[in-house]
């Protein structure tokens, strides 16, 4: 397993990821003063995001069911727990967007190759009730 996003197992096949981009930002408050450079004060974490990119080959390896699951997870609006395959926890993330681009279409309109991009943003811990319903959905 490469990663786990909520109930979605990201593996070599059928649903894979071949690129991860992580962005972390920090917020500072600027203090206006006259006659000198304006000092800044650390106020905490800002937006932290992760982008995952993968490639599906639905006719050879499958992956369309997993893509549909990912879309349903995004539409639910619930944060999902992200963990790397070696057990490293990333924490809770909201799925901001899922993009897919199909190429080499078959006579049924399904691409032989589908490029998938997943945009995630760190989310606060869910409430205890939401956490229970999310965990129940994973089982």
């Amino acid at each position: 397993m490469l990663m786990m996003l909520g109930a979605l197992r990201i593996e070599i096949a059928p649903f894979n990821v071949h690129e991860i981009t992580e962005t972390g930002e920090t917020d500072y408050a600027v203090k206006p003063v006259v006659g000198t450079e304006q000092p800044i004060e650390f106020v905490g974490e800002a937006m932290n995001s992760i982008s995952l990119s993968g490639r599906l080959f639905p006719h050879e390896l499958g992956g369309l069911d997993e893509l549909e699951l990912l879309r349903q997870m995004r539409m639910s609006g619930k944060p999902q727990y992200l963990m790397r395959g070696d057990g490293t926890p990333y924490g809770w993330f909201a799925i901001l967007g899922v993009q897919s681009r199909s190429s080499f279409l078959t006579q049924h309109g399904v691409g032989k190759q589908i490029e998938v991009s997943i945009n995630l943003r760190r989310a606060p811990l869910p409430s205890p009730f939401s956490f229970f319903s999310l965990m129940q959905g994973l089982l």
Side-chain angles (χ1 to χ4, degrees):
M1 178 179 72
L2 298 173
M3 302 190 95
M4 186 84 173
L5 176 62
L8 177 64
R9 288 179 60 94
I10 301 172
E11 303 177 289
I12 302 297
F15 196 93
N16 76 73
V17 166
H18 63 260
E19 185 175 271
I20 301 170
T21 304
E22 296 182 52
T23 303
E25 297 180 9
T26 304
D27 268 343
Y28 290 89
V30 178
K31 308 283 184 148
V33 294
V34 178
T36 186
E37 188 170 341
Q38 297 178 346
I40 58 175
E41 178 183 353
F42 173 74
V43 293
E45 285 286 308
M47 185 173 86
N48 292 295
S49 62
I50 293 180
S51 296
L52 307 173
S53 299
R55 188 172 294 127
L56 308 179
F57 300 95
H59 292 284
E60 290 83 18
L61 303 173
L64 292 179
D65 292 337
E66 289 81 0
L67 184 57
E68 183 57 32
L69 172 62
L70 179 62
R71 289 181 176 140
Q72 290 174 7
M73 290 166 47
R74 179 193 55 80
M75 288 187 291
S76 78
K78 295 178 182 176
Q80 304 294 326
Y81 194 75
L82 180 65
M83 182 177 62
R84 200 167 60 194
D86 65 356
T88 302
Y90 279 95
W92 293 91
F93 281 82
I95 302 173
L96 298 182
V98 176
Q99 297 84 32
S100 61
R101 189 185 73 165
S102 299
S103 55
F104 310 109
L105 301 181
T106 66
Q107 69 270 20
H108 302 293
V110 178
K112 291 183 181 179
Q113 180 175 309
I114 302 174
E115 302 284 336
V116 177
S117 262
I118 308 165
N119 296 317
L120 308 170
R121 180 175 180 193
R122 185 174 305 281
L125 295 174
S127 68
F129 179 74
S130 296
F131 179 77
F132 178 74
S133 67
L134 285 168
M135 290 299 109
Q136 187 177 20
L138 293 177
L139 301 175

